[in-house]
Amino acid sequence: MYHKKECVAMLLAGGQGSRLYTLTEKTAKPAVPFGGKYRIIDFPLSNCVNSGIDTVGVLTQYQPLELNEYIGNGQAWDLDRTFGGVMVLPPYQGNKGADWYKGTANAIYQNLAFIDRYDPEYVLVLSGDHIYKMDYAAMLDFHKKKEADCTIAVLEVSLEEASRFGIMNTNDDNSVYEFEEKPKHPKSTKASMGIYIFNYKKLKQYLIDDENTEGSANDFGKNIIPNMLASGEKLFAYPFSGYWKDVGTISSLWEANMDLLGAKPVFNIHDRSWRIFSRTSAMPAQYLAPGSVTENAIISEGSEIAGTVRNSVLFHGVTVESGAVVENAVVMSGVTVKAGARVVNTIIAENTTVGAGAMIGDNQKPGDNITVLGSDLAIPAGMTIGGGLLINADKLSELV
Amino acid sequence: MSTTTGIIFSNLHDMSIADLTRRRTMASVPFGCRYRLVDFALSNMVNAGISDISVITHNNYRSLMDHLGSGKDWDLARRSGGLKILPPFITTNQGENNLYDTRLEALKNVQGFVADIKTDNVVLSDCDAICNIDLRSVIEYHTAEGADATCVVTRKTLTPDISEKYRLIYSNDSNDVTDVIAHPKKFSGEGDVLVNIWIFDRRYLQSALADASAHGYKSFTTDVILKNLGKHTIKVYHYDGYYASIDSMAGYFAVNMELLDAKTREALFKVKERPIYTKVRNSAPSKYVGGANVKNSLIADGCLIEGTVENSILFRGVHVGKGAIVKNSILFQDTQVLAGASINCVIADKNVVIRDGVILSGHPTMPFYIEKYKMI
């Protein structure tokens, strides 16, 4: 079966993630660092590998440089395969003209030739915006058992939240009879997770038809799914119960990082039966100095801690000098917090230096009013930056 | 620019730390939370632009092969050159007891391989030396001096109990080797000791090996080097950076503990243009929960710390349970110290379990060693 794959995954990684402000100024949302040594895209990629899916197309568009470099030949995820493996798919110029990806469906449409090479029965469509662990193989089994044309993973949400999601209204056997995008008065609480399995032949036809439809938004939620329902195709909702988090906002990104902390964390990344793979380089071990205090923390290699770290997630190569306090914070790689500085309720992006004695963030209530420091900044000694401020290079030069 | 091939001896000095090399080579002895000793020899070569490196093995080399893999972590998974492992070469009429004991015999064993080398120079390195050395400068010096062979030496104060593990190199003002004292017994005082890194002119190495073969020589220093002093240009290169050598279990313990000093970490791991590479594994970051109290310790990724850790070196995946106390200890990969246990001056090999409430103590000069997979 060398020239055939049963299931090919298409990972939509073009999102800008504009609500992450300065964190996505220079990089796409799926490349945003998470959890001490990962990037968001490590989760869907590792899920693929752990589910036995070895062919993944990664559709990029916005600021793809860092993402391309990170994925490389896919070796970190064991996706450097002779046939299959991971492939970065940017928009390209064809003989009928060039186009940016107009919508999620159009992105897949433009890469039908990629999928055709593997002659798959099924296509798994994923997004690179979520933190979760999921066995796609179990979902595929469900899809086959139901003889579905399309299966959509759904998560139970509260009735209040339901109006923020695409909601699947289902019969008792989980077949979908109606799909409502962000309904004002939701009839069900089954929210679409943006994870779809399609029978490829059906999907291809719907994508081609959709492309030929004037004025279509070329979007799965707005066009493809409603069209399939209207034509009487068999759509099923696959119930998922487990941790799933959209980290599209500063506060949800902060929360998801905090969910990793503790002896019995809300979300466990130390689970050896479902490992999350990431691309890392060899750095020496982390050093905790005689005066250091580490209470409820995640710390990565290459970090040097002489100060206090509480309820925080520290990436690799972070320095916390003596007398400095880092609390309820997410501190990305290469950051230095100088002596006596205080960082609370804050997300600091890569390679920023917080000067001695600086006071960053306010600590009235953890998770409220999160301060964000962008990458490669030098915060002057003694500077105070209050709660809820979003600081990038331009903002900082106004303040200094 | 001159071209260079690297050869690493994985098993020499195994007997210095017999406990740790019972099931592995000197090259694959774990060190400093996440490294194996071979990482220094390999990284030093790679950082000097050497991309054709062979590792000569002797016995117990499964763990070494597991660590090295395809060589990709050192950027040595190459279509041409790259990393090669040279396993023992035993012909039917030799018998299995005919494995080499010395560096020279090891080289004679792979003489066919050495004869095929076409680069200008060959670097020979053992795995007992822990240093981050700029080999490019050493090779440049060797080339500039037009030397047939150049050895790296460093100043060291020897004490009678360990002096036998070293070779003293004497040289004159123009850095010509004048005498070699191999394994001095009960020597006390300062001297230039061999770092066990040699740069050879390839042609000289090939002819010296052929000569040694013809004469049945056994020892590299006494038979090849000493007999040729004056006849060939044999130089010393004085290295004054950080150097530590694993010469005993107490020494192994002490050298690991030296990593708790920021200066040592800087000299070894934080040289910007010369990182030390190692096999990259996928461990989650380390986690500190509840009553974690960690002072002056180096901790690898993937650890879970709930107790007290002081002056210790923890490898990947170590678990220190609630109320457990770990002091002055080296805990290898996946070792567990369960709730309430208390240990001091212990070296625990991989996957050791120290059960609830157990109290163990060694002494810095005689660390208490626990074998792999033991439960106490």
Side-chain angles (χ1 to χ4, degrees):
Chain A
M1 298 291 276
Y2 196 64
H3 291 292
K4 190 167 172 62
K5 296 278 181 191
E6 188 190 28
C7 182
V8 168
M10 298 297 274
L11 208 167
L12 300 160
Q16 181 177 352
S18 55
R19 286 174 302 158
L20 289 173
Y21 305 102
T22 177
L23 298 180
T24 49
E25 225 167 275
K26 290 173 223 159
T27 189
K29 180 172 161 189
V32 168
F34 176 81
K37 74 184 310 184
Y38 309 97
R39 290 173 189 260
I40 296 170
I41 197 171
D42 287 330
F43 291 82
L45 277 181
S46 300
N47 287 340
C48 280
V49 176
N50 290 332
S51 307
I53 294 169
D54 64 8
T55 307
V56 185
V58 177
L59 301 134
T60 59
Q61 177 150 295
Y62 172 81
Q63 293 282 21
L65 177 66
E66 204 168 314
L67 198 54
N68 285 352
E69 193 193 348
Y70 184 68
I71 291 171
N73 69 354
Q75 185 241 312
W77 303 268
D78 229 352
L79 287 173
D80 51 337
R81 302 295 173 97
T82 315
F83 183 66
V86 66
M87 183 94 74
V88 176
L89 304 168
Y92 58 90
Q93 195 165 28
N95 59 6
K96 278 186 267 173
D99 244 327
W100 292 106
Y101 292 149
K102 289 177 283 183
T104 50
N106 176 257
I108 308 284
Y109 171 81
Q110 289 201 36
N111 289 289
L112 287 175
F114 167 80
I115 304 174
D116 281 336
R117 282 170 56 181
Y118 302 101
D119 188 20
E121 298 300 313
Y122 309 101
V123 170
L124 169 67
V125 176
L126 302 168
S127 76
D129 300 345
H130 303 114
I131 303 294
Y132 65 110
K133 293 188 278 192
M134 181 172 175
D135 184 0
Y136 303 137
M139 180 171 167
L140 185 58
D141 283 346
F142 174 94
H143 177 84
K144 288 185 207 165
K145 212 169 277 166
K146 296 287 184 187
E147 297 177 335
D149 296 306
C150 169
T151 299
I152 301 146
V154 294
L155 187 79
E156 286 289 342
V157 294
S158 65
L159 206 56
E160 303 85 72
E161 286 179 299
S163 32
R164 292 199 289 120
F165 290 96
I167 295 296
M168 301 289 155
N169 298 325
T170 58
N171 302 309
D172 289 347
D173 65 346
N174 281 319
S175 59
V176 180
Y177 66 86
E178 190 184 21
F179 172 77
E180 293 180 290
E181 184 79 44
K182 298 182 182 159
K184 280 208 180 81
H185 305 287
K187 291 178 210 144
S188 123
T189 50
K190 290 193 170 79
S192 166
M193 300 163 66
I195 300 166
Y196 311 94
I197 292 178
F198 292 95
N199 286 359
Y200 179 51
K201 283 198 189 87
K202 282 268 162 71
L203 173 69
K204 190 173 176 180
Q205 196 50 55
Y206 276 92
L207 287 175
I208 293 169
D209 293 346
D210 178 61
E211 191 62 22
N212 294 332
T213 308
E214 283 282 321
S216 168
N218 304 119
D219 184 86
F220 277 101
K222 290 188 190 118
N223 308 103
I224 304 295
I225 301 297
N227 290 348
M228 287 183 88
L229 268 176
S231 312
E233 306 289 358
K234 286 163 77 179
L235 275 74
F236 279 83
Y238 173 73
F240 173 78
S241 59
Y243 186 90
W244 180 81
K245 193 138 195 156
D246 186 334
V247 286
T249 63
I250 293 293
S251 68
S252 64
L253 181 66
W254 181 88
E255 265 172 40
N257 274 286
M258 295 300 137
D259 285 343
L260 308 174
L261 293 169
K264 291 196 174 67
V266 183
F267 184 58
N268 184 10
I269 45 169
H270 290 77
D271 175 4
R272 289 198 187 180
S273 66
W274 200 268
R275 285 164 62 176
I276 306 302
F277 301 93
S278 68
R279 184 173 172 138
T280 49
S281 52
M283 292 183 99
Q286 51 199 281
Y287 175 72
L288 278 67
S292 69
V293 176
T294 40
E295 285 170 18
N296 201 25
I298 281 180
I299 303 178
S300 295
E301 55 197 19
S303 291
E304 300 253 342
I305 313 297
T308 298
V309 179
R310 265 190 215 108
N311 304 326
S312 295
V313 174
L314 272 56
F315 286 66
H316 46 267
V318 170
T319 305
V320 178
E321 294 187 356
S322 68
V325 176
V326 173
E327 206 169 319
N328 299 317
V330 177
V331 183
M332 295 183 188
S333 60
V335 166
T336 300
V337 181
K338 296 264 190 195
R342 189 173 162 79
V343 173
V344 289
N345 239 350
T346 296
I347 298 177
I348 310 182
E350 293 118 309
N351 301 319
T352 282
T353 301
V354 176
M359 307 292 268
I360 314 295
D362 94 70
N363 202 24
Q364 296 198 331
K365 189 165 168 256
D368 275 1
N369 258 344
I370 294 161
T371 305
V372 178
L373 302 183
S375 60
D376 305 294
L377 303 179
I379 308 294
M383 189 174 191
T384 300
I385 294 177
L389 293 177
L390 308 167
I391 307 294
N392 59 13
D394 295 343
K395 268 269 175 55
L396 184 64
S397 59
E398 284 170 29
L399 291 174
V400 172
Chain B
M1 213 187 101
S2 64
T3 52
T4 307
T5 301
I7 295 178
I8 293 173
F9 302 91
S10 66
N11 287 82
L12 299 172
H13 320 287
D14 277 5
M15 289 316 293
S16 296
I17 43 171
D19 282 335
L20 290 173
T21 53
R22 192 163 295 145
R23 287 169 193 278
R24 48 171 84 90
T25 61
M26 189 72 169
S28 50
V29 165
F31 174 79
C33 291
R34 65 170 305 175
Y35 300 94
R36 304 275 182 151
L37 292 182
V38 72
D39 291 337
F40 295 95
L42 271 179
S43 301
N44 284 333
M45 288 184 183
V46 168
N47 288 333
I50 301 172
S51 60
D52 191 338
I53 301 175
S54 297
V55 179
I56 301 184
T57 60
H58 184 291
N59 52 21
N60 288 347
Y61 56 91
R62 196 203 55 77
S63 65
L64 178 63
M65 293 187 66
D66 179 50
H67 180 69
L68 296 176
S70 64
K72 64 180 155 48
D73 289 313
W74 298 264
D75 202 15
L76 288 173
R78 304 287 184 91
R79 201 164 278 272
S80 58
L83 182 75
K84 287 186 203 78
I85 292 177
L86 303 178
F89 189 81
I90 303 166
T91 57
T92 39
N93 42 16
Q94 259 180 322
E96 63 179 306
N97 292 327
N98 220 340
L99 281 177
Y100 65 85
D101 291 319
T102 68
R103 190 182 336 252
L104 184 59
E105 287 175 319
L107 281 173
K108 277 155 60 180
N109 231 314
V110 294
Q111 209 173 337
F113 164 80
V114 177
D116 279 344
I117 295 175
K118 294 189 176 58
T119 54
D120 302 327
N121 308 307
V122 180
V123 179
L124 306 178
S125 175
D126 296 0
C127 288
D128 65 322
I130 293 164
C131 61
N132 185 336
I133 181 173
D134 179 9
L135 275 185
R136 210 183 281 266
S137 304
V138 185
I139 296 166
E140 276 166 15
Y141 170 82
H142 168 84
T143 310
E145 294 288 322
D148 292 311
T150 302
C151 61
V152 178
V153 299
T154 194
R155 212 70 192 150
K156 189 176 170 76
T157 307
L158 295 180
T159 50
D161 54 323
I162 52 156
S163 67
E164 219 180 316
K165 302 278 169 45
Y166 294 88
R167 288 175 183 79
L168 282 170
I169 309 281
Y170 293 89
S171 56
N172 60 21
D173 289 345
S174 47
N175 289 332
D176 291 303
V177 175
T178 54
D179 198 8
V180 181
I181 299 180
H183 315 298
K185 282 201 168 62
K186 308 277 176 206
F187 180 91
S188 165
E190 213 181 39
D192 284 334
V193 298
L194 185 65
V195 171
N196 288 327
I197 298 174
W198 286 89
I199 317 286
F200 267 87
D201 175 79
R202 183 253 303 174
R203 288 185 183 80
Y204 175 56
L205 180 69
Q206 286 166 341
S207 71
L209 266 188
D211 184 53
S213 254
H215 290 91
Y217 291 158
K218 279 207 157 222
S219 163
F220 195 77
T221 26
T222 49
D223 293 330
V224 176
I225 304 299
L226 269 179
K227 287 191 173 127
N228 284 303
L229 290 180
K231 289 182 226 161
H232 288 275
T233 318
I234 299 176
K235 294 278 183 188
V236 293
Y237 178 91
H238 293 278
Y239 168 69
D240 56 6
Y242 178 84
Y243 162 77
S245 146
I246 305 293
D247 51 23
S248 62
M249 277 303 263
Y252 174 80
F253 183 79
V255 171
N256 269 284
M257 291 304 160
E258 278 179 29
L259 291 174
L260 297 177
D261 183 346
K263 282 195 204 97
T264 311
R265 292 199 301 280
E266 258 156 46
L268 276 181
F269 302 124
K270 303 206 171 160
V271 187
K272 198 156 186 252
E273 66 278 18
R274 296 200 309 273
I276 300 297
Y277 304 96
T278 187
K279 178 172 179 171
V280 174
R281 304 197 195 224
N282 253 282
S283 300
S286 281
K287 202 179 222 184
Y288 302 84
V289 301
N293 178 13
V294 185
K295 308 285 176 211
N296 193 35
S297 295
L298 267 179
I299 316 261
D301 271 3
C303 292
L304 174 59
I305 315 291
E306 301 179 272
T308 298
V309 180
E310 278 178 32
N311 311 325
S312 293
I313 307 281
L314 270 51
F315 284 69
R316 285 178 309 114
V318 167
H319 177 201
V320 178
K322 274 196 187 114
I325 299 171
V326 174
K327 284 186 178 170
N328 311 306
S329 292
I330 302 171
L331 307 182
F332 287 5
Q333 195 182 322
D334 294 330
T335 283
Q336 299 181 48
V337 183
L338 301 182
S342 173
I343 61 173
N344 179 37
C345 291
V346 164
I347 300 178
D349 212 314
K350 283 167 76 170
N351 288 294
V352 162
V353 178
I354 296 165
R355 299 188 60 171
D356 315 52
V358 170
I359 297 171
L360 284 174
S361 183
H363 187 269
T365 57
M366 183 69 75
F368 188 93
Y369 172 74
I370 308 170
E371 262 180 76
K372 258 187 189 183
Y373 294 105
K374 279 273 186 285
M375 188 182 281
I376 296 188

